[in-house]
Each structure stands twice: as structure tokens, then as C-alpha cells.
Amino acid sequence: MVKRLETYEDWKTCITVDCGIPLTRAFCVERLAELRDAEAYPTLRFVNTWGDAHRRRVIEWFERAAAELSATEGVAGPRSA
């Protein structure tokens, strides 16, 4: 049985630990583009399986992850002289 993810922390653990997928900005941007395209076949399958409310929640989580990664890269990134 597949567990429905209810929190950002559960979702993030599912992607990074359970699935072993690195959560990068590029990955977030790619997934956001697909999930925002209501006509894309993977999005239609997602909505059919999990519902549109969950799709919107996952979009929010990808946006949050992308923002966190941007903030982290801004702090830890290379600095200009």
C-alpha cells in the first residue's frame, strides 16, 4: 500500500530517503513544470491517482524546496571578489 504524504517533511523524506532522489533545484523546476501542465500525461495520471488537491499541495512543496535550495545556494555559493 502506498502511503499518502500529508506533510512537507514526509514528502521530502519520501523523495530523498525512500526513493534516493537528490532534491536539486533542477529537479524541482522540472517537476513543477510538469505538475503545472494540466494536460501532460504524467500530470493526468497523478491527478487520477492522488487527486487535484494533492497535486496542488505537491506543487507547494516543490516550490518550498526550490526556495530553500535557492536560499542555501545563495549563502553557500561562490562569492565574487
Side-chain angles (χ1 to χ4, degrees):
M1 173 115 189
V2 176
K3 179 177 124 178
R4 184 179 198 111
L5 304 171
E6 299 294 334
T7 68
Y8 174 75
E9 291 75 21
D10 289 344
W11 168 82
K12 190 173 178 181
T13 298
C14 179
I15 289 179
T16 60
V17 177
D18 300 342
C19 297
I21 299 170
L23 195 55
T24 64
R25 277 186 11 166
F27 179 71
C28 291
V29 167
E30 178 182 316
R31 293 298 296 138
L32 281 166
E34 188 171 271
L35 287 167
R36 288 176 176 148
D37 182 355
E39 301 302 317
Y41 179 70
T43 303
L44 293 172
R45 279 188 10 216
F46 185 98
V47 170
N48 188 49
T49 302
W50 302 106
D52 195 57
H54 189 64
R55 178 188 69 90
R56 290 190 309 269
R57 186 169 33 242
V58 169
I59 287 172
E60 290 175 8
W61 292 337
F62 271 113
E63 289 171 341
R64 178 175 169 182
E68 287 175 0
L69 290 163
S70 292
T72 301
E73 290 174 5
V75 171
R79 297 179 183 222
S80 301

Coordinates of all heavy atoms in Angstrom, one line a residue:
M1 N 0.8 -1.2 0.0 CA 0.0 0.0 0.0 C 0.9 1.2 0.0 O 1.8 1.4 0.8 CB -0.9 0.0 1.2 CG -1.7 1.2 1.5 SD -3.4 0.8 1.3 CE -4.1 2.3 1.3
V2 N 0.6 2.2 -0.9 CA 1.3 3.4 -1.0 C 0.7 4.4 0.0 O -0.5 4.6 0.1 CB 1.3 4.0 -2.4 CG1 2.0 5.3 -2.5 CG2 1.9 3.0 -3.4
K3 N 1.6 5.0 0.8 CA 1.2 6.0 1.8 C 1.0 7.4 1.2 O 1.8 7.8 0.4 CB 2.3 6.1 2.9 CG 2.0 7.0 4.0 CD 3.2 7.0 5.0 CE 3.8 8.3 5.2 NZ 4.8 8.4 6.2
R4 N -0.1 8.0 1.5 CA -0.4 9.3 1.1 C 0.4 10.3 2.0 O 0.3 10.2 3.2 CB -1.9 9.6 1.2 CG -2.2 11.0 0.6 CD -3.7 11.3 0.7 NE -4.0 12.4 -0.2 CZ -4.7 12.3 -1.3 NH1 -5.1 11.1 -1.7 NH2 -4.9 13.3 -2.1
L5 N 1.2 11.1 1.4 CA 2.0 12.1 2.1 C 1.2 13.3 2.5 O 0.6 13.9 1.7 CB 3.2 12.4 1.2 CG 4.0 11.3 0.7 CD1 5.0 11.7 -0.3 CD2 4.7 10.5 1.9
E6 N 1.2 13.6 3.8 CA 0.4 14.6 4.4 C 1.2 15.9 4.7 O 0.7 17.0 4.8 CB -0.3 14.2 5.6 CG -1.3 13.0 5.3 CD -2.4 13.4 4.5 OE1 -2.8 14.6 4.4 OE2 -3.0 12.5 3.8
T7 N 2.5 15.8 4.9 CA 3.3 16.9 5.3 C 4.5 17.1 4.4 O 5.0 16.1 3.7 CB 3.9 16.8 6.8 OG1 4.8 15.7 6.8 CG2 2.8 16.5 7.8
Y8 N 5.1 18.3 4.4 CA 6.3 18.6 3.7 C 7.4 17.7 4.1 O 8.1 17.1 3.2 CB 6.7 20.0 3.8 CG 8.0 20.4 3.2 CD1 8.1 20.6 1.8 CD2 9.1 20.7 4.0 CE1 9.3 21.0 1.2 CE2 10.3 21.0 3.4 CZ 10.4 21.2 2.0 OH 11.6 21.5 1.4
E9 N 7.6 17.5 5.4 CA 8.7 16.6 5.9 C 8.5 15.2 5.4 O 9.5 14.6 5.0 CB 8.8 16.7 7.4 CG 9.2 18.0 7.9 CD 8.1 19.1 7.9 OE1 6.9 18.8 7.8 OE2 8.5 20.3 7.9
D10 N 7.3 14.6 5.4 CA 7.1 13.3 4.9 C 7.4 13.2 3.4 O 8.0 12.2 3.0 CB 5.6 12.9 5.1 CG 5.3 12.6 6.5 OD1 6.2 12.4 7.4 OD2 4.0 12.5 6.8
W11 N 7.0 14.2 2.7 CA 7.2 14.2 1.2 C 8.7 14.3 0.9 O 9.2 13.5 0.1 CB 6.5 15.4 0.6 CG 6.8 15.8 -0.8 CD1 6.3 15.2 -1.9 CD2 7.8 16.7 -1.2 NE1 6.9 15.8 -3.0 CE2 7.8 16.7 -2.6 CE3 8.6 17.6 -0.5 CZ2 8.6 17.6 -3.4 CZ3 9.4 18.5 -1.3 CH2 9.4 18.4 -2.7
K12 N 9.4 15.2 1.6 CA 10.8 15.3 1.4 C 11.6 14.0 1.7 O 12.5 13.6 1.0 CB 11.3 16.5 2.2 CG 12.8 16.9 1.9 CD 13.1 18.2 2.6 CE 14.5 18.6 2.4 NZ 14.9 19.8 3.1
T13 N 11.2 13.4 2.8 CA 11.8 12.1 3.2 C 11.6 11.0 2.2 O 12.4 10.3 1.8 CB 11.4 11.7 4.6 OG1 11.7 12.6 5.5 CG2 11.9 10.3 5.0
C14 N 10.3 11.0 1.7 CA 10.0 10.0 0.6 C 10.9 10.2 -0.6 O 11.4 9.2 -1.2 CB 8.5 10.2 0.2 SG 8.0 9.1 -1.0
I15 N 11.1 11.4 -1.1 CA 11.9 11.7 -2.3 C 13.4 11.4 -2.0 O 14.0 10.6 -2.7 CB 11.7 13.1 -2.8 CG1 10.3 13.3 -3.4 CG2 12.8 13.4 -3.8 CD1 10.0 14.6 -3.9
T16 N 13.9 12.0 -0.9 CA 15.3 11.9 -0.7 C 15.8 10.6 -0.1 O 16.9 10.1 -0.4 CB 15.8 13.1 0.1 OG1 15.1 13.0 1.4 CG2 15.5 14.4 -0.6
V17 N 15.0 10.0 0.8 CA 15.5 8.8 1.5 C 14.9 7.6 0.9 O 15.6 6.7 0.4 CB 15.1 8.9 3.0 CG1 15.5 7.6 3.7 CG2 15.8 10.1 3.7
D18 N 13.6 7.5 0.9 CA 12.9 6.3 0.4 C 13.2 6.0 -1.1 O 13.4 4.9 -1.5 CB 11.4 6.4 0.6 CG 11.0 6.5 2.1 OD1 11.8 6.2 3.0 OD2 9.8 7.0 2.3
C19 N 13.1 7.1 -1.9 CA 13.4 6.9 -3.3 C 14.8 7.2 -3.7 O 15.2 6.9 -4.8 CB 12.5 7.9 -4.1 SG 10.7 7.5 -3.9
G20 N 15.6 7.8 -2.8 CA 17.0 8.1 -3.1 C 17.2 9.1 -4.2 O 18.3 9.1 -4.9
I21 N 16.3 10.0 -4.4 CA 16.4 11.0 -5.5 C 17.0 12.3 -4.8 O 16.4 12.8 -3.9 CB 15.1 11.3 -6.1 CG1 14.5 10.1 -6.8 CG2 15.2 12.5 -7.1 CD1 13.0 10.2 -7.2
P22 N 18.1 12.8 -5.4 CA 18.6 14.1 -4.9 C 17.6 15.2 -5.1 O 17.1 15.4 -6.3 CB 19.9 14.3 -5.6 CG 20.2 13.0 -6.3 CD 18.9 12.3 -6.4
L23 N 17.3 16.0 -4.1 CA 16.4 17.1 -4.3 C 17.2 18.3 -4.7 O 17.8 19.0 -3.8 CB 15.6 17.3 -3.0 CG 14.4 18.2 -3.0 CD1 13.4 17.7 -4.1 CD2 13.7 18.3 -1.7
T24 N 17.2 18.6 -6.0 CA 18.0 19.7 -6.5 C 17.0 20.7 -7.1 O 15.9 20.4 -7.4 CB 18.9 19.2 -7.6 OG1 18.1 18.7 -8.7 CG2 19.9 18.1 -7.2
R25 N 17.5 21.9 -7.3 CA 16.7 23.0 -7.9 C 16.3 22.5 -9.3 O 15.1 22.7 -9.7 CB 17.4 24.3 -8.0 CG 17.4 25.1 -6.7 CD 17.9 26.4 -6.8 NE 18.2 26.9 -8.2 CZ 18.5 28.1 -8.5 NH1 18.5 29.0 -7.6 NH2 18.8 28.4 -9.7
A26 N 17.2 21.9 -10.1 CA 16.8 21.5 -11.4 C 15.7 20.4 -11.4 O 14.7 20.5 -12.2 CB 18.0 20.9 -12.1
F27 N 15.7 19.5 -10.4 CA 14.7 18.5 -10.3 C 13.4 19.2 -9.9 O 12.3 18.9 -10.5 CB 15.1 17.5 -9.2 CG 14.0 16.4 -9.0 CD1 13.8 15.4 -9.9 CD2 13.3 16.4 -7.8 CE1 12.8 14.5 -9.7 CE2 12.4 15.4 -7.5 CZ 12.1 14.5 -8.5
C28 N 13.4 20.2 -9.0 CA 12.2 20.9 -8.6 C 11.6 21.6 -9.8 O 10.4 21.5 -10.0 CB 12.5 21.9 -7.5 SG 12.9 21.1 -5.9
V29 N 12.4 22.3 -10.5 CA 11.9 23.1 -11.7 C 11.3 22.1 -12.7 O 10.2 22.4 -13.2 CB 13.1 23.9 -12.3 CG1 12.7 24.5 -13.7 CG2 13.5 25.0 -11.4
E30 N 11.9 21.0 -13.0 CA 11.4 20.0 -13.9 C 10.0 19.5 -13.5 O 9.1 19.5 -14.2 CB 12.4 18.9 -14.1 CG 11.9 17.8 -15.0 CD 13.0 16.7 -15.0 OE1 14.2 17.0 -15.1 OE2 12.5 15.5 -15.0
R31 N 9.9 19.1 -12.2 CA 8.7 18.6 -11.7 C 7.6 19.6 -11.6 O 6.4 19.3 -11.9 CB 8.9 17.9 -10.3 CG 9.8 16.7 -10.3 CD 9.2 15.6 -11.1 NE 8.0 15.1 -10.5 CZ 6.9 14.8 -11.2 NH1 6.8 14.8 -12.5 NH2 5.8 14.4 -10.6
L32 N 8.0 20.8 -11.3 CA 7.0 21.9 -11.2 C 6.4 22.2 -12.6 O 5.2 22.3 -12.7 CB 7.6 23.2 -10.6 CG 7.7 23.3 -9.1 CD1 8.6 24.4 -8.7 CD2 6.3 23.4 -8.5
A33 N 7.2 22.2 -13.6 CA 6.7 22.4 -15.0 C 5.7 21.4 -15.4 O 4.7 21.6 -16.0 CB 7.9 22.5 -15.9
E34 N 6.1 20.1 -15.1 CA 5.2 19.0 -15.4 C 3.9 19.1 -14.6 O 2.8 18.9 -15.2 CB 5.9 17.7 -15.2 CG 5.1 16.5 -15.7 CD 6.0 15.3 -15.7 OE1 6.7 15.0 -16.7 OE2 5.9 14.6 -14.6
L35 N 4.0 19.3 -13.3 CA 2.8 19.3 -12.5 C 1.8 20.4 -12.8 O 0.6 20.4 -12.6 CB 3.1 19.3 -11.0 CG 3.7 17.9 -10.5 CD1 4.3 18.1 -9.1 CD2 2.6 16.9 -10.4
R36 N 2.4 21.5 -13.3 CA 1.6 22.7 -13.6 C 0.9 22.6 -15.0 O 0.0 23.3 -15.3 CB 2.5 24.0 -13.6 CG 2.8 24.4 -12.2 CD 3.8 25.6 -12.2 NE 4.1 26.0 -10.9 CZ 5.2 26.6 -10.5 NH1 6.2 26.8 -11.4 NH2 5.4 27.0 -9.3
D37 N 1.4 21.6 -15.8 CA 0.8 21.4 -17.1 C -0.4 20.4 -16.9 O -0.1 19.2 -16.9 CB 1.8 20.8 -18.0 CG 1.3 20.6 -19.5 OD1 0.1 20.8 -19.7 OD2 2.1 20.3 -20.3
A38 N -1.6 20.9 -16.8 CA -2.7 20.0 -16.6 C -3.0 19.0 -17.7 O -3.7 18.0 -17.5 CB -4.0 20.9 -16.3
E39 N -2.5 19.2 -18.9 CA -2.7 18.4 -20.0 C -1.6 17.3 -20.2 O -1.7 16.4 -21.0 CB -2.8 19.2 -21.3 CG -4.0 20.2 -21.2 CD -5.3 19.5 -21.0 OE1 -5.6 18.5 -21.5 OE2 -6.1 20.1 -20.1
A40 N -0.5 17.4 -19.4 CA 0.6 16.5 -19.5 C 0.1 15.1 -19.0 O -0.5 15.0 -18.0 CB 1.8 16.9 -18.8
Y41 N 0.4 14.1 -19.8 CA 0.0 12.7 -19.4 C 0.4 12.3 -18.0 O -0.4 11.8 -17.2 CB 0.5 11.7 -20.4 CG 0.1 10.3 -20.1 CD1 -1.2 9.9 -20.1 CD2 1.0 9.4 -19.6 CE1 -1.6 8.6 -19.8 CE2 0.7 8.1 -19.3 CZ -0.7 7.7 -19.4 OH -1.0 6.4 -19.0
P42 N 1.7 12.6 -17.6 CA 2.1 12.2 -16.2 C 1.2 13.0 -15.1 O 0.9 12.4 -14.1 CB 3.5 12.6 -16.1 CG 4.0 12.6 -17.5 CD 2.9 13.0 -18.3
T43 N 0.9 14.2 -15.4 CA 0.0 15.0 -14.5 C -1.4 14.4 -14.5 O -2.0 14.3 -13.4 CB 0.0 16.5 -14.9 OG1 1.4 17.0 -15.0 CG2 -0.8 17.3 -14.0
L44 N -1.9 14.1 -15.6 CA -3.2 13.4 -15.6 C -3.3 12.2 -14.8 O -4.2 11.9 -14.1 CB -3.7 13.2 -17.1 CG -3.9 14.4 -17.9 CD1 -4.1 14.0 -19.4 CD2 -5.1 15.2 -17.4
R45 N -2.2 11.4 -14.9 CA -2.1 10.1 -14.2 C -2.0 10.4 -12.7 O -2.6 9.8 -11.8 CB -0.9 9.3 -14.6 CG -1.1 8.5 -15.8 CD 0.1 7.5 -16.1 NE 1.1 7.4 -15.1 CZ 2.4 7.3 -15.3 NH1 2.8 7.2 -16.5 NH2 3.2 7.2 -14.3
F46 N -1.2 11.4 -12.3 CA -1.0 11.9 -10.9 C -2.4 12.2 -10.3 O -2.8 11.8 -9.3 CB 0.0 13.0 -10.8 CG 0.3 13.4 -9.4 CD1 1.4 13.0 -8.8 CD2 -0.5 14.3 -8.7 CE1 1.8 13.4 -7.5 CE2 -0.2 14.7 -7.4 CZ 0.9 14.2 -6.8
V47 N -3.1 13.1 -11.1 CA -4.4 13.6 -10.6 C -5.4 12.4 -10.5 O -6.2 12.4 -9.5 CB -4.9 14.7 -11.5 CG1 -6.4 15.1 -11.1 CG2 -4.1 16.0 -11.3
N48 N -5.4 11.5 -11.4 CA -6.3 10.4 -11.4 C -6.0 9.5 -10.2 O -6.9 9.0 -9.6 CB -6.1 9.6 -12.7 CG -7.2 8.5 -12.8 OD1 -8.4 8.7 -12.6 ND2 -6.7 7.3 -13.1
T49 N -4.7 9.4 -9.8 CA -4.4 8.6 -8.7 C -4.5 9.3 -7.3 O -5.1 8.7 -6.4 CB -2.9 8.1 -8.8 OG1 -2.7 7.4 -10.0 CG2 -2.4 7.2 -7.6
W50 N -4.1 10.5 -7.2 CA -4.0 11.2 -5.9 C -5.0 12.3 -5.8 O -5.2 12.8 -4.7 CB -2.6 11.7 -5.7 CG -1.5 10.7 -5.8 CD1 -0.7 10.4 -6.8 CD2 -1.3 9.7 -4.8 NE1 0.1 9.3 -6.5 CE2 -0.2 8.9 -5.3 CE3 -1.8 9.4 -3.6 CZ2 0.3 7.8 -4.6 CZ3 -1.3 8.3 -2.8 CH2 -0.3 7.5 -3.4
G51 N -5.5 12.8 -6.8 CA -6.5 14.0 -6.8 C -5.8 15.3 -7.0 O -4.6 15.4 -6.8
D52 N -6.6 16.3 -7.4 CA -6.0 17.6 -7.8 C -5.6 18.4 -6.5 O -4.6 19.1 -6.6 CB -7.0 18.4 -8.6 CG -6.3 19.6 -9.2 OD1 -5.4 19.3 -10.0 OD2 -6.7 20.7 -9.0
A53 N -6.3 18.2 -5.4 CA -5.9 18.9 -4.2 C -4.5 18.4 -3.8 O -3.7 19.3 -3.4 CB -6.9 18.6 -3.1
H54 N -4.2 17.1 -3.9 CA -2.8 16.7 -3.6 C -1.8 17.2 -4.6 O -0.7 17.6 -4.2 CB -2.8 15.2 -3.5 CG -1.5 14.6 -2.9 ND1 -1.1 14.9 -1.6 CD2 -0.5 13.9 -3.5 CE1 0.1 14.3 -1.4 NE2 0.4 13.7 -2.5
R55 N -2.2 17.3 -5.8 CA -1.3 17.9 -6.9 C -0.9 19.3 -6.5 O 0.3 19.7 -6.5 CB -1.9 17.8 -8.2 CG -1.0 18.5 -9.3 CD -1.8 18.6 -10.7 NE -2.8 19.6 -10.6 CZ -2.6 20.9 -10.9 NH1 -1.5 21.3 -11.3 NH2 -3.6 21.7 -10.8
R56 N -1.9 20.1 -6.1 CA -1.6 21.5 -5.6 C -0.7 21.5 -4.4 O 0.2 22.3 -4.3 CB -2.9 22.2 -5.4 CG -3.7 22.5 -6.7 CD -4.9 23.4 -6.5 NE -5.8 23.0 -5.4 CZ -6.9 22.2 -5.5 NH1 -7.2 21.7 -6.7 NH2 -7.6 21.9 -4.5
R57 N -0.9 20.6 -3.5 CA -0.1 20.5 -2.3 C 1.4 20.2 -2.7 O 2.3 20.8 -2.2 CB -0.7 19.5 -1.3 CG 0.0 19.5 0.0 CD -0.7 18.7 1.1 NE -1.4 17.5 0.6 CZ -2.7 17.3 0.7 NH1 -3.4 18.2 1.3 NH2 -3.3 16.2 0.3
V58 N 1.5 19.2 -3.6 CA 2.9 18.8 -4.0 C 3.5 20.0 -4.7 O 4.8 20.2 -4.6 CB 2.8 17.5 -4.9 CG1 4.1 17.2 -5.5 CG2 2.4 16.3 -4.0
I59 N 2.8 20.7 -5.5 CA 3.4 21.9 -6.2 C 3.9 22.9 -5.1 O 5.0 23.4 -5.2 CB 2.3 22.6 -7.1 CG1 2.1 21.8 -8.3 CG2 2.8 24.0 -7.4 CD1 1.0 22.2 -9.2
E60 N 3.1 23.1 -4.1 CA 3.6 24.0 -3.0 C 4.9 23.4 -2.3 O 5.8 24.2 -2.0 CB 2.5 24.1 -1.9 CG 1.3 24.9 -2.4 CD 0.2 25.0 -1.3 OE1 0.4 24.5 -0.2 OE2 -0.9 25.5 -1.7
W61 N 5.0 22.1 -2.2 CA 6.1 21.5 -1.6 C 7.4 21.7 -2.5 O 8.5 21.9 -2.0 CB 5.9 20.0 -1.2 CG 4.9 19.9 -0.1 CD1 4.5 20.8 0.9 CD2 4.1 18.7 0.1 NE1 3.6 20.2 1.7 CE2 3.3 19.0 1.3 CE3 4.0 17.4 -0.5 CZ2 2.4 18.0 1.8 CZ3 3.1 16.5 0.0 CH2 2.3 16.8 1.2
F62 N 7.2 21.5 -3.8 CA 8.3 21.7 -4.7 C 8.7 23.1 -4.7 O 9.9 23.4 -4.8 CB 8.0 21.2 -6.1 CG 8.3 19.8 -6.4 CD1 7.2 18.8 -6.6 CD2 9.6 19.3 -6.4 CE1 7.5 17.5 -6.8 CE2 9.9 18.0 -6.6 CZ 8.8 17.1 -6.9
E63 N 7.8 24.0 -4.6 CA 8.1 25.5 -4.6 C 8.9 25.8 -3.3 O 9.9 26.5 -3.3 CB 6.8 26.3 -4.6 CG 6.2 26.3 -6.0 CD 4.8 27.0 -6.0 OE1 4.2 27.1 -4.9 OE2 4.4 27.3 -7.1
R64 N 8.5 25.2 -2.2 CA 9.2 25.4 -0.9 C 10.6 24.8 -1.0 O 11.6 25.5 -0.6 CB 8.4 24.7 0.2 CG 9.1 24.9 1.6 CD 8.2 24.3 2.7 NE 8.9 24.2 3.9 CZ 8.5 23.7 5.0 NH1 7.2 23.2 5.0 NH2 9.2 23.6 6.1
A65 N 10.7 23.6 -1.5 CA 12.1 23.0 -1.6 C 13.0 23.9 -2.5 O 14.1 24.1 -2.2 CB 11.9 21.6 -2.2
A66 N 12.4 24.3 -3.6 CA 13.2 25.2 -4.6 C 13.7 26.5 -3.9 O 14.8 26.9 -4.0 CB 12.4 25.5 -5.8
A67 N 12.8 27.1 -3.1 CA 13.1 28.3 -2.3 C 14.2 28.0 -1.3 O 15.1 28.8 -1.1 CB 11.9 28.9 -1.7
E68 N 14.1 26.9 -0.6 CA 15.1 26.5 0.4 C 16.4 26.3 -0.2 O 17.5 26.7 0.3 CB 14.6 25.3 1.2 CG 13.5 25.5 2.1 CD 13.0 24.2 2.8 OE1 13.5 23.1 2.5 OE2 12.1 24.3 3.6
L69 N 16.4 25.6 -1.4 CA 17.7 25.3 -2.1 C 18.3 26.6 -2.6 O 19.5 26.8 -2.6 CB 17.4 24.4 -3.2 CG 17.1 22.9 -2.8 CD1 16.5 22.1 -3.9 CD2 18.4 22.3 -2.3
S70 N 17.4 27.6 -3.1 CA 17.9 28.9 -3.6 C 18.6 29.6 -2.4 O 19.7 30.2 -2.6 CB 16.8 29.7 -4.2 OG 16.4 29.1 -5.3
A71 N 18.0 29.6 -1.3 CA 18.5 30.3 -0.1 C 19.8 29.7 0.3 O 20.8 30.4 0.7 CB 17.5 30.3 1.0
T72 N 19.9 28.4 0.3 CA 21.1 27.7 0.7 C 22.2 28.0 -0.2 O 23.3 28.2 0.2 CB 20.8 26.1 0.8 OG1 19.8 25.9 1.8 CG2 22.1 25.4 1.2
E73 N 21.9 27.9 -1.5 CA 22.9 28.2 -2.5 C 23.4 29.6 -2.5 O 24.6 29.9 -2.7 CB 22.4 27.9 -3.9 CG 22.2 26.4 -4.1 CD 21.6 26.0 -5.5 OE1 21.3 26.9 -6.3 OE2 21.3 24.8 -5.7
G74 N 22.5 30.5 -2.1 CA 22.9 31.9 -2.0 C 23.9 32.2 -0.9 O 24.8 32.9 -1.0
V75 N 23.7 31.4 0.2 CA 24.6 31.5 1.4 C 25.9 30.8 1.1 O 26.9 31.3 1.4 CB 23.9 31.0 2.6 CG1 24.8 30.9 3.8 CG2 22.7 31.9 3.0
A76 N 25.8 29.6 0.6 CA 26.9 28.7 0.5 C 27.6 28.8 -0.9 O 28.7 28.2 -1.1 CB 26.5 27.3 0.7
G77 N 27.0 29.5 -1.8 CA 27.6 29.6 -3.1 C 28.9 30.4 -3.2 O 29.3 31.1 -2.3
P78 N 29.5 30.4 -4.4 CA 30.8 31.1 -4.5 C 30.5 32.6 -4.5 O 29.5 33.1 -4.9 CB 31.3 30.7 -5.9 CG 30.1 30.0 -6.6 CD 29.2 29.6 -5.5
R79 N 31.4 33.3 -4.0 CA 31.3 34.8 -3.8 C 32.2 35.5 -4.8 O 33.3 35.0 -5.1 CB 31.6 35.2 -2.4 CG 30.7 34.6 -1.4 CD 31.0 35.0 -0.1 NE 30.1 34.4 0.8 CZ 29.5 34.9 1.8 NH1 29.8 36.2 2.2 NH2 28.7 34.3 2.6
S80 N 31.7 36.6 -5.3 CA 32.6 37.4 -6.2 C 33.5 38.3 -5.4 O 33.2 38.7 -4.3 CB 31.7 38.3 -7.1 OG 30.8 37.5 -7.8
A81 N 34.6 38.5 -6.0 CA 35.6 39.4 -5.3 C 35.3 40.9 -5.6 O 34.7 41.2 -6.5 CB 37.0 39.1 -5.8

